[in-house]
Amino acid sequence: MNEAKLIGRLKATQQEFALKVLMAPQVKDLFTYGQVSGVVIGIEQCINEIINQLKEERDGKDEL
């Protein structure tokens, strides 16, 4: 799987999760909202880390 396809699938998963939860919230309290927000933010951080690692690998600065 190439990197563009991987990132695209992660973005799609993130969007599907956010829409599903926001369209049919099970519990409308601040804890649940924070938990859902954390998942969406976590996926975004994973995407950014993948992008950064791929860039470092291409630039020859991979230090892992």
Side-chain angles (χ1 to χ4, degrees), residues 13-50:
T13 299
Q14 180 186 39
Q15 291 171 356
E16 289 169 12
F17 176 78
L19 284 174
K20 179 179 135 188
V21 172
L22 291 174
M23 297 297 283
Q26 294 179 359
V27 180
K28 296 181 182 183
D29 62 1
L30 289 177
F31 176 80
T32 304
Y33 179 76
Q35 187 178 28
V36 169
S37 297
V39 170
V40 173
I41 291 167
I43 294 171
E44 187 69 27
Q45 288 176 334
C46 289
I47 292 167
N48 291 334
E49 185 62 28
I50 290 169

